Amino acid sequence: MPSRRTDPLTLEVVELIGDVVARYHQEYEHAAAGHQLTGAQARVLNLLSLEPMPMRRIAQKLKCEPSNITGIVDRLETRGLVERRPDPADRRVKLAAPTEEGLLTADRLRESLDFAREPLAGLSDAERGMLRDLLRRMLG
């Protein structure tokens, strides 16, 4: 009996997940370049468009070093897309927050990402819900 990790179906699913991830990253980089952003800058801006946060938390969410985030936020700030402001809960902490232009850019960036949106449009609500639930389950 084949191992659960090496049976043909599992191998095919793993390969398909890898293809999806690669295509998503490729399109994300292309969309970011269309807004004169690197992929990393676009990911930080997108994250901040959801809520302002300290750089340490951005680094945790993106699984990278805080020093990398500092440089990315510096470049976004220079472009007028992000600003640093005191955290109302702890004025010793600085939050990175999108400016109005940053929010508009994040919205335009999301609108230009067709890869996930287009194939998902071909699935019913029930199928999209099932896919979401399966992905959540996989991620624990």
Side-chain angles (χ1 to χ4, degrees), residues 2 17 20 29 43 47 52 55 60 63 67 77 79 85 90 102-103 116:
I17 290 171
V20 167
E29 293 291 330
R43 284 187 287 281
L47 190 60
M55 284 181 272
Q60 289 169 342
K63 297 182 180 14
S67 61
E77 190 172 36
R79 291 213 24 216
R85 57 172 83 136
D90 182 350
L103 288 171

Side-chain angles (χ1 to χ4, degrees), residues 124-134:
S124 69
D125 286 346
E127 289 169 326
R128 286 193 308 276
M130 183 184 302
L131 178 58
R132 178 207 55 215
D133 295 345
L134 289 169

Side-chain angles (χ1 to χ4, degrees), residues 45 58 61 63 74:
L45 185 59
I58 298 168
K61 287 192 166 282
K63 297 182 180 14
D74 286 346

Side-chain angles (χ1 to χ4, degrees), residues 58-124:
I58 298 168
Q60 289 169 342
K61 287 192 166 282
L62 297 180
K63 297 182 180 14
C64 65
E65 290 296 318
S67 61
N68 292 345
I69 298 303
T70 300
I72 293 168
V73 169
D74 286 346
R75 289 185 289 282
L76 290 170
E77 190 172 36
T78 299
R79 291 213 24 216
L81 300 175
V82 168
E83 63 185 9
R84 288 176 170 94
R85 57 172 83 136
D87 184 342
D90 182 350
R91 299 194 55 82
R92 296 170 297 173
V93 175
K94 293 285 187 193
L95 298 178
T99 62
E100 282 300 314
E101 183 62 28
L103 288 171
L104 289 171
T105 301
D107 285 343
R108 286 188 291 248
L109 180 63
R110 272 191 293 278
E111 283 299 312
S112 64
L113 291 172
D114 295 328
F115 171 67
R117 186 175 44 246
E118 295 304 319
L120 289 173
L123 300 177
S124 69

